[in-house]
Each structure stands twice: as structure tokens, then as C-alpha cells.
Amino acid sequence: MQVMDERVGIENQGQGSGRPSTIGVVGGTGALGRGLAFRLATAGHQVRIGSRDPDRAKEAAALLEGGIVGGSNAEACASDLVVIAVPWPAHELTISGLHKELDGRIVIDCVNPLGFDERGPFALTVDAGSAVQQAQLLLPGSTVVGAFHHISAELLLEGGDLDTDVLVLGDDRDAVEQVIALVGSIIGLRGVFAGRLRNAGQVEALTANLIAINRRYRGQSGIRITGI
Amino acid sequence: MQVMDERVGIENQGQGSGRPSTIGVVGGTGALGRGLAFRLATAGHQVRIGSRDPDRAKEAAALLEGGIVGGSNAEACASDLVVIAVPWPAHELTISGLHKELDGRIVIDCVNPLGFDERGPFALTVDAGSAVQQAQLLLPGSTVVGAFHHISAELLLEGGDLDTDVLVLGDDRDAVEQVIALVGSIIGLRGVFAGRLRNAGQVEALTANLIAINRRYRGQSGIRITGI
């Protein structure tokens, strides 16, 4: 039965499946945050973007379509699902400061711990193993799921067709299924369960490879899983 | 011009492109080694599979089509390109013992440092950063390229259609291009440059995620890069 359920999820990709939810985006004024907010609002969800500076979030929300609301990060947390879309250097501090607001919630971490030097991007070592594991350590009362690591903010914001899978990582089956449904509500995306949190580090780090691919082939690369 | 050259490579996928070469497969009696040998021989290359036990390699070669020759690992190294397809626990010792035979050659490392426990597969920590970086450290006179990490040995051996990209990692542009051409000579495969050796660890580790995907969705998963 479990396999059957997942196959339904697979087939539902890009069909605008899944019931509408309220989604908060912490760090919602960054490119990825705005891009996800835009696509999620287009998919019919009620989206709140948050920022350390609520006025900036309100400005960013006003520039996006879909009735998106802006406010503080804490206000964004009052949602069914909360996406963490802050830059890696702000990850620990931002999440620590929101642990009460995020208590009991499903938190989607899409942060990539990457460094850049003259030879391009590279994966940073994270003591916890990955950003999403760090988030779970900082948020013992939340259920943290990893997703949206590889998706191009520019592609999201441009509004064109999407054609990529989203690898979804988590230890809680129900939370993973909710995130897979959320991903599938965005046309052109398919959520694929890709393992437990302990296998999230390489998924985050793979973003460095996609950036290398983009540079070599002058594209905006994504991933599709074949054979399932 | 470089971008143009690569786009030609991209378009040549699965067309049986690339001139025939002699290919050695160290650890060629394992499932992945035999699968790669079979597909490379089918693509028109002259393939030598090696083993610690030359008789086992000869037996394995006789069971595969395509005029594959079996012998010692050292004999397999006397080839234009040499694939290392040993299990991770044998990686360091096998490569160390072949450093003279591999001197001056292009070496393709496809070894995944993975562990398995009751919760499934997980990435092992490698001091050098990745198997392919370890190989390059052990073989200072060779040019090591990473490739074929994600491909299912069963799919290769079954002989059915392939539908996957092969991420190719390396610091030497010419060697990378030769490996991309080799990958493209196998119908259904496309080689994609995916970054320098320092970004190989997450590509190797991603195999744990593909195994998790296989278990959840009961498939034999592969990866396609979209948007390039």
C-alpha cells in the first residue's frame, strides 16, 4: 500500500495536486524565497513571506503576484508549512531565534552550505552533517524536511515552464508526504523521496555541481530522476 | 569555442560517437565492472577486464559478449583508459598496487564509499574527500576522472535500454572530454561535466540517495540533467 501511495504522488506531478495550504517563507525577500513564494502562490496556496525587516518583506510581497503577504519572520512562521530560505551564514542564528514560533510545525529547509573561490563553488563542511540536520538539532520540537535545494531562483522568478524533480529528505513519513504534495502542486515540479536526513548533506552539496554544470554549458540545470 | 565543443558532445549522446579505444576494467569481475565491460564492448571498444585472480577474469570475460579479454588487473591497465570498479574496501590497496601500471594513463574512478546499516545506505567519510580524490593522491602520475557512479550494474547487465546521464568530474579538461566521449559511445548515456574533483564527494555519496529512491519506488533510478 505504501508503494501504491507513492506512485500516486509520482503520477500527480505538475497537475496542481494537493490541497491549498498556508505557507510561510522565512528569508522570503531573497531570490529563492521570492521565487518559491511566487510559484506557491500561483499554485493556489496562501503565502506569507518574512524578513528580519518586515517593511522589506511587505515591499517584496507587493511586487509579487498572487496575494502574497509580507511581515516579520515570526509572522511567516504562523503557517501550515514553513520554508527556511535564508543564506547559509544566517542559517543557525535565524533558526535559533524562531524555535518557539516553529515548535510543532513542519519546516522545509532548502539552504545549501556552499563556499565560492576563484575555482568556483564547493561544499562546506557542516558539523551537524548538513543544513537540514543542523535545523533539526536547533528545532527539536519541529519536523524538518529538506527540499528545493537544486531549483534555480531565476527560473522560479522568470515565470517560465519548470522541468525538474525536487529531492525530498526526511525522517518523518507523514511530513515527507506533505512536502511531496506541496512540491507537486507547482506545475512542472515533482517531489521524490530521496532518503533520510543523514543523507541530506550530499544533496545540498550537489548544488555546487549544478553550478559547475551551469557554468560549463551556460544553462540553468535541474535534475530528473529516471527509472522510477 | 569551448562551449560549442561541449554542445557538440551533448548532442552526440547515445549516437555511438567517439573513436573505439582499448578500455581496461580493474575489478572487472564485479557486477558494475562486468556491466560496464559489456556495454563498452557493445559500443565497439576493445575491453580487457582484470581481477586479482586472472582465471576468474577469463571466466567472466568468456560469459560476456563482445570479444572481451580477461586477465590480471595489471594486464587490464595496459589500455587507453582504465576504469577502477573495485568495492570501496579494496580501493586504496588495489590502486596502490597498480601505480606503476597506471602511470601516465587516464583512470576513471567509479567507486562509491558507502556504508549500510539497518536504516539503509549512508555516505562514508573519506579523508581525501572522495574516492576519486584518494585515487588521484595515490596516482600522482595518472589523470583521474570520476564517472559512472550512479549507474545500475543490473541495468547494464540486463542489456535493456539505458536512459541516464553520467556526471563526469575532473581537473584535466582533455581527460574529462575523453571520458565524456567514452560515455557518449554507449547508447542511452550522456556524459555531463559536473565539476572538479573537489566536488566529487557528493556525487559519490548521492548513490545512497538513489538507493533510497530505488527502495521507496521499487525502480532502478538514474539521473538526467535538465536545462542544458
Side-chain angles (χ1 to χ4, degrees), chain B residues 24 30 35 45 51 75 97 102 117 123 128 144 155 171 205 207 209 211 214 222:
Chain B
H45 304 288
S51 170
E75 287 170 332
L102 292 170
D117 64 17
V144 184
L155 272 182
D171 294 339
T207 307
N209 301 88
I211 294 170
N214 290 347

Side-chain angles (χ1 to χ4, degrees), chain A residues 6-7 193 216-217 224, chain B residues 6-7 216-217 224:
Chain A
E6 284 141 3
R7 291 198 180 275
F193 172 73
R216 177 65 67 96
Y217 300 104
R224 282 283 190 199
Chain B
E6 285 142 2
R7 290 200 180 273
R216 177 67 66 97
Y217 300 105
R224 281 284 191 198

Side-chain angles (χ1 to χ4, degrees), chain A residues 6-7 117 120-121 163 173 177 193-194 198-199 202 205 209 213 216-217 220-227, chain B residues 6-7 117 120-121 163 173 177 193-194 198-199 202 205 209 213 216-217 220-227:
Chain A
E6 284 141 3
R7 291 198 180 275
D117 63 16
D163 173 25
R173 181 79 174 231
E177 293 303 323
F193 172 73
R198 67 173 179 171
N199 280 316
Q202 57 265 29
N209 302 87
I213 290 170
R216 177 65 67 96
Y217 300 104
Q220 286 181 312
S221 59
I223 283 180
R224 282 283 190 199
I225 301 295
T226 61
Chain B
E6 285 142 2
R7 290 200 180 273
D117 64 17
D163 173 25
R173 181 78 174 231
E177 293 303 324
F193 171 74
R198 68 173 179 172
N199 280 316
Q202 58 265 30
N209 301 88
I213 290 170
R216 177 67 66 97
Y217 300 105
Q220 285 181 313
S221 59
I223 282 181
R224 281 284 191 198
I225 301 295
T226 61

